[in-house]
Amino acid sequence: MAAPGGRSCLQYLLHLAQDNLDFRLPEIRALLSLRGKQFNPGKDFKENSPFWCLDGVSEPDVHSVMAKSVCAKSAFELWGHGRTHSELRESLLKYPSENMAPYMQKDSTYKINVYTFNKTLEFTDRITKIDALEYLQFVGTVSLKSPQHVFCLLEDYGTDPNKIPDDPFYIYFGRWIADGQRMLIRSHSVKNRHFIGNTSMDAGLSFIMANHAKVKEHDLVFDPFVGTGSLLVACSHFGAYVCGTDIDYNTIHGKGRSSRKNHKWRGPDENIRANLRQYGTEKSYIDVMVCDASKPVWRDGMLFDAIITDPPYGIRESTRRTGSNKDVTRPSDEYFGESHVPVSMAYHLSDIFSDLLNFSANHLVMGGRLVYWLPIYRPEYCEETIPFHPCLRLISNCEQTLSSHTSRRLITMEKIKIPEESDTRVHLSDPGFNPYQGHNAFREKYFSGLNKKNLKEDKMHVNGE
Ligand SMILES: C[S@@+](CC[C@H](N)C(=O)[O-])C[C@H]1O[C@@H](n2cnc3c(N)ncnc32)[C@H](O)[C@@H]1O
């Protein structure tokens, strides 16, 4: 297969960050599928490796992935690879010269970088490795400051920091194409954000969630448990219009006690709109409103491109909904208005997830995605405990460990069917069989057996600190 410009059979190399390992493949798959492409790994693909080869994609595809990925660090057009430097040499000498030619012109400038994974090399060793590539016969002028073309020799010394081999396990050489969006993790860190709360979602994970949801420009995205709006911040960065709801009046209106150090009350810039303004995406802000997710206010036919959310687990916030178990005599509507709800009752996790799936089945566009976190008590986890809906297909299920016995799973589902009468409220229709009941005791299980020290560590982990 010839690539544009007569360059044949190109393969690409991704260099991935070695954190959030479970989240990387679904992210890259989702971003490729936005281009109508599948993830075609090269031979000997290892999911946990920092290097993945990609077949069957074009350079614009790779650019588009890197414009959004927070899991990938850099991408290269792969020119050669091998287990040893002599295998690399053999592979590079076989690489079609017409593929190299556009980047090896006499009047061009270039530089060669050496990157080693799991090993630090002395400067002189790097220079020796660059000199050893002389068989490639680079023409043009070296420019370290502003080269037109950047080439890279990448050496993989494995993933065990306690067993670093003398020689690399694998070596790659290629032309650098693009960097990913890792800088967003710092630029959007909740540490410097105007409006935060004790459950604000970490920036990196928010962007990963947006990518798993395939959020793109002009999408309409909804978060039913919006909190301080971290997920709206990430989705608006990718050009989506965003809105959300939360049961907490103070959170929605940016009132009440501040989470900022030395501030007692929330100031005028401590609200969700101001968060988007901080990052220059206020134009994508639709609005947020006070609403109980168990009683959604949206009319039939209101459709979102993505629903992305972090429901309450009851660890750092209560899981309540409006209503009462008791027979409450409602005061007259004349006095309180129709919307007045005097009491609240427990909102069990199994109901939270059933409501969320039913809502998503009804309010996602066909092919739209639901992305949400599910808390897990690890000793009892099995795939059957992942909430199911006949109109939503499970796309990915990624674990983030919180402690030895708890974790949360990022669940991504895609709408594949318009719900019929029989599909609505599918989980709660048979009170004798609700496979998600096990989630209800998550709070007790989370706190069981935890002493004060690892409880503090666990909380920091939940916060992404
Ligand atoms: C884990 S927090 C979400 C945090 C959010 N992602 C952020 O970055 O700030 C869960 C949110 O759900 C809200 N909540 C709890 N019960 C609710 C309900 N019944 N309906 C709507 N929101 C609810 C809480 O007030 C809380 O803000």
Side-chain angles (χ1 to χ4, degrees), residues 25-152:
L25 191 52
E27 191 205 55
I28 302 299
R29 273 189 206 281
L31 295 177
L32 281 172
S33 86
L34 278 174
R35 297 274 306 173
K37 292 289 165 71
Q38 285 191 345
F39 177 77
N40 264 335
K43 216 165 77 174
D44 302 327
F45 170 70
K46 289 192 191 78
E47 191 176 338
N48 284 353
S49 163
F51 301 105
W52 293 351
C53 296
L54 289 186
D55 288 323
V57 291
S58 65
E59 187 167 330
D61 294 333
V62 177
H63 273 289
S64 150
V65 167
M66 300 309 280
K68 285 187 170 168
S69 175
V70 284
C71 292
K73 287 184 161 183
S74 309
F76 305 86
E77 180 184 283
L78 188 58
W79 285 13
H81 53 104
R83 278 166 300 179
T84 59
H85 277 277
S86 64
E87 275 189 23
L88 173 71
R89 179 193 162 103
E90 211 178 300
S91 155
L92 279 171
L93 292 176
K94 273 195 212 143
Y95 192 63
S97 54
E98 66 271 19
N99 286 359
M100 298 183 184
Y103 308 99
M104 292 196 154
Q105 301 288 326
K106 267 201 181 120
D107 56 354
S108 66
T109 56
Y110 74 93
K111 81 168 172 179
I112 303 174
N113 287 335
V114 176
Y115 173 79
T116 49
F117 181 79
N118 197 28
K119 183 159 190 153
T120 310
L121 288 189
E122 298 284 337
F123 179 71
T124 48
D125 292 334
R126 289 168 189 273
I127 299 297
T128 311
K129 285 182 192 280
I130 293 172
D131 289 345
L133 292 167
E134 63 180 358
Y135 55 85
L136 280 179
Q137 295 180 350
F138 284 96
V139 288
T141 315
V142 171
S143 162
L144 297 182
K145 273 199 174 149
S146 54
Q148 286 169 303
H149 310 302
V150 177
F151 304 100
C152 197

Side-chain angles (χ1 to χ4, degrees), residues 199-201 223-231 245-248 291-294 310-312 317-321 347:
T199 58
S200 292
M201 180 59 65
D223 180 353
F225 300 97
V226 72
T228 58
S230 313
L231 305 179
T245 56
D246 200 288
I247 202 168
D248 190 288
C291 169
D292 174 359
S294 72
D310 176 25
E317 73 290 79
S318 71
T319 50
R320 308 290 295 170
R321 59 175 158 169
Y347 193 9

Side-chain angles (χ1 to χ4, degrees), residues 368-385:
R369 287 191 169 186
L370 162 68
V371 176
Y372 73 95
W373 288 99
L374 180 72
I376 293 291
Y377 181 60
R378 300 181 79 203
E380 289 172 8
Y381 171 74
C382 61
E383 289 217 353
E384 287 67 44
T385 53

Side-chain angles (χ1 to χ4, degrees), residues 240-303:
Y241 295 105
V242 294
C243 55
T245 56
D246 200 288
I247 202 168
D248 190 288
Y249 176 94
N250 281 345
T251 304
I252 288 295
H253 290 282
K255 292 193 180 335
R257 285 194 172 273
S258 175
S259 301
R260 278 198 201 157
K261 233 181 176 179
N262 307 328
H263 284 67
K264 197 164 179 200
W265 303 107
R266 283 175 179 150
D269 60 348
E270 286 181 84
N271 55 65
I272 298 176
R273 179 190 280 276
N275 272 353
L276 271 74
R277 192 179 307 132
Q278 183 181 354
Y279 302 112
T281 59
E282 191 183 355
K283 65 178 185 341
S284 301
Y285 180 74
I286 297 179
D287 212 341
V288 292
M289 59 183 162
V290 181
C291 169
D292 174 359
S294 72
K295 299 180 179 64
V297 290
W298 304 96
R299 62 178 160 76
D300 285 351
M302 175 68 215
L303 296 178

Side-chain angles (χ1 to χ4, degrees), residues 2 22-23 173 200 233 237 281 320 336 360 379 436 444:
D22 235 17
F23 300 76
F173 183 86
S200 292
V233 165
H237 177 81
T281 59
R320 308 290 295 170
F336 282 102
S360 303
Y436 321 120
E444 290 72 55

